[in-house]
């Protein structure tokens, strides 16, 4: 399916996730992908990308910044016509959702994960 999307000039899910690695929660020195905040990415045939994600806490004051940064990061990909970022709170985020790279980065900054 990703090959068909690439032939149509659309990014793959993996390319979207890679683009999202430039987005950081301002309070945590790890990108949102390695933090495990991105739950799903869907690339539609019309070039619209839906990103389902969460934050480390409900009511996080950085929500608008993270959303805007995620939208800009994905919009830079060829073929993307629009981005919808939806925040969900179920399942709740826990450090267990972090990638091994995210955990390594957190340990480098002195966090115990």
């Amino acid at each position: 399916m990703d090959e068909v999307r690439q032939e149509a000039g659309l990014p793959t899910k993996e390319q979207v996730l890679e683009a999202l690695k430039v987005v950081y929660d301002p309070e945590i020195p790890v990108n949102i992908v390695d933090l495990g905040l991105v739950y799903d990415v869907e690339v539609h045939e019309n070039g619209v990308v839906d990103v389902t994600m969460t934050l480390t806490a409900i009511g996080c004051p950085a929500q608008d910044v993270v959303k805007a940064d995620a939208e800009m990061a994905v919009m830079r990909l060829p073929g993307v016509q629009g981005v919808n970022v939806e925040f969900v709170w179920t399942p709740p985020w826990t450090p267990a959702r972090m990638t091994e790279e995210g955990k390594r980065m957190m340990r480098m900054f002195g966090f115990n994960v």
Side-chain angles (χ1 to χ4, degrees), residues 16-89:
V16 172
L17 289 169
E18 192 62 33
L20 286 169
K21 287 185 176 183
V22 302
V23 180
Y24 287 75
D25 180 315
E27 298 177 345
I28 303 173
V30 178
N31 69 71
I32 63 172
V33 174
D34 287 320
L35 269 176
L37 298 178
V38 179
Y39 287 178
D40 192 29
V41 169
E42 189 172 349
V43 180
H44 299 280
E45 291 179 10
N46 64 358
V48 174
V49 177
D50 292 333
V51 178
T52 305
M53 62 176 294
T54 195
L55 294 168
T56 56
I58 294 175
C60 175
Q63 181 172 333
D64 291 340
V65 171
V66 172
K67 180 178 181 179
D69 289 352
E71 290 170 345
M72 285 191 305
V74 177
M75 281 300 295
R76 290 187 184 117
L77 293 171
V80 174
Q81 301 299 312
V83 181
N84 300 313
V85 175
E86 178 186 8
F87 290 100
V88 297
W89 308 108

